[in-house]
Amino acid sequence: MEFATSRDGTRIAYERRGSGPALILVDGALSHRVFNPLGAALADLLQDSATVYTYDRRGRGDSGDSAPYAVGREVEDLDALVRAAGGRARLFGLSSGAVLALEAAAHGLAVEALALYEPPFIVDASRPPLPPDYAVRVGALAAQGRRAEAVEYFMTAAVGLPSEFLAPMREDPSFAQMEQVAHTLAYDAAVMGGTMSGVPLPAHRWAAVRAPVLVADGGKSEHFFADAADALAAVLHDVRRTTLEGQGHDVDPRVLAPVLRDFFGR
C-alpha cells in the first residue's frame, strides 16, 4: 500500500500491480480495495498489459477524509493518483465511479481514455427515480449514527432492492463492511448530481471530455442501465458503445478484462 496526497492534504491509499500504461480503477458506492473483488481480479487479469492502480476513495478503507465534502475534492484525489502514476493515466469506472471518472476527465485531468461500466443514470420512466430528498436523507442517517438504516435506504431507494431482502442482507458479513463506509453514500449522491431523477442527461455537462470513451452495459442488467448508457453515448464526442451479453451489474471480471484490454489497446 502507498499513499498519494490530495490538494487538501488528504492521504489517498492505493496499490499498484503490473507494468505498462497506468490504469486507475474507480469504484462505485460502498466499495474499496478490501471490499471489491472486481478490482483485485481485474488487476490480476490486466497486470501483464498495464500498471493497474486500485485505491480507496476518500472516507473509505485506508484513505483519509476532510470536511466539507465536495465532488471537486474527489477529482483532486484522482489528480493526485494520476500524478503518482507518472502524469497520465487511463480510467475505468464502475457505476457511480464511472460518473466520477467522467467528472475527472471533464475537469482537465490528463486522462488518455475512459472505460465506463453501467453509470446508474435514470433518464426516463424505465424505473422509479430517486426521491428528491435522497441525498439529504441518506447523509443525515449516517451522520446520526444510523449507518445500517443509511445502507438499507440506499439499497431500497437507489438500488431498488425489495424491502424483504433487507433482513437476510443484515445477516451477511458484508453488511458490517458497508456500514463502515455508509457516510460516503452521500458523496456518491453528490457525484451523480441529479442524474437519477428520470429526466434526460444535461447535454453539455461532459462536453469538455475529448478522450476516447467506452460505455458498456450488461445484457442481463435492468433495462434502465441500457437506457443510461445510450443516453451518455449520445452526449459524448469520441465514444464506443458496447453490451456485455450475459452480464449484470455485478460483472464477471473474466468477461470484462478482454473488453478493456481491446479498448485501451487501440
Side-chain angles (χ1 to χ4, degrees), residues 10-100:
T10 301
R11 298 214 310 164
I12 303 300
Y14 69 93
E15 296 178 7
R16 55 181 164 180
R17 191 178 314 175
S19 60
L23 171 59
I24 300 172
L25 309 185
V26 188
D27 287 333
L30 298 175
S31 297
H32 50 88
R33 287 178 305 118
V34 177
F35 188 55
N36 180 14
L38 176 64
L42 282 176
D44 284 338
L45 291 165
L46 296 172
Q47 63 180 324
D48 62 334
S49 59
T51 303
V52 184
Y53 289 74
T54 55
Y55 80 104
D56 293 336
R57 288 174 55 185
R58 64 170 51 214
R60 312 181 191 192
D62 292 302
S63 287
D65 203 356
S66 300
Y69 175 80
V71 176
R73 287 186 163 185
E74 284 223 71
V75 169
E76 291 169 355
D77 299 344
L78 271 171
D79 187 46
L81 289 168
V82 170
R83 287 186 279 108
R88 301 191 66 81
R90 302 161 176 181
L91 304 181
F92 166 69
L94 171 69
S95 194
S96 57
V99 186
L100 179 57

Side-chain angles (χ1 to χ4, degrees), residues 20-200:
L23 171 59
I24 300 172
L25 309 185
V26 188
D27 287 333
L30 298 175
S31 297
H32 50 88
R33 287 178 305 118
V34 177
F35 188 55
N36 180 14
L38 176 64
L42 282 176
D44 284 338
L45 291 165
L46 296 172
Q47 63 180 324
D48 62 334
S49 59
T51 303
V52 184
Y53 289 74
T54 55
Y55 80 104
D56 293 336
R57 288 174 55 185
R58 64 170 51 214
R60 312 181 191 192
D62 292 302
S63 287
D65 203 356
S66 300
Y69 175 80
V71 176
R73 287 186 163 185
E74 284 223 71
V75 169
E76 291 169 355
D77 299 344
L78 271 171
D79 187 46
L81 289 168
V82 170
R83 287 186 279 108
R88 301 191 66 81
R90 302 161 176 181
L91 304 181
F92 166 69
L94 171 69
S95 194
S96 57
V99 186
L100 179 57
L102 264 177
E103 290 294 313
H107 279 77
L109 270 64
V111 175
E112 296 179 323
L114 303 96
L116 312 175
Y117 187 76
E118 295 198 336
F121 303 127
I122 303 174
V123 297
D124 52 31
S126 56
R127 64 147 283 179
L130 265 63
D133 64 345
Y134 168 80
V136 172
R137 184 175 174 187
V138 78
L141 286 170
Q144 294 164 10
R146 299 159 65 186
R147 290 175 170 268
E149 292 178 60
V151 173
E152 290 178 339
Y153 183 54
F154 164 74
M155 290 296 176
T156 53
V159 177
L161 195 71
S163 58
E164 58 266 26
F165 284 38
L166 295 178
M169 180 178 293
R170 271 184 177 257
E171 301 302 318
D172 192 283
S174 65
F175 193 84
Q177 293 180 295
M178 291 188 284
E179 282 186 87
Q180 291 177 3
V181 294
H183 60 288
T184 65
L185 289 170
Y187 300 179
D188 284 278
V191 168
M192 296 306 299
T195 58
M196 302 181 75
S197 57
V199 299

Side-chain angles (χ1 to χ4, degrees), residues 111-115 209-214 238-240 263-264 266:
V111 175
E112 296 179 323
L114 303 96
V209 177
R210 288 294 188 268
V213 184
L214 172 70
D238 183 359
V239 62
R240 182 192 299 184
F263 173 68
F264 288 126
R266 71 174 183 172

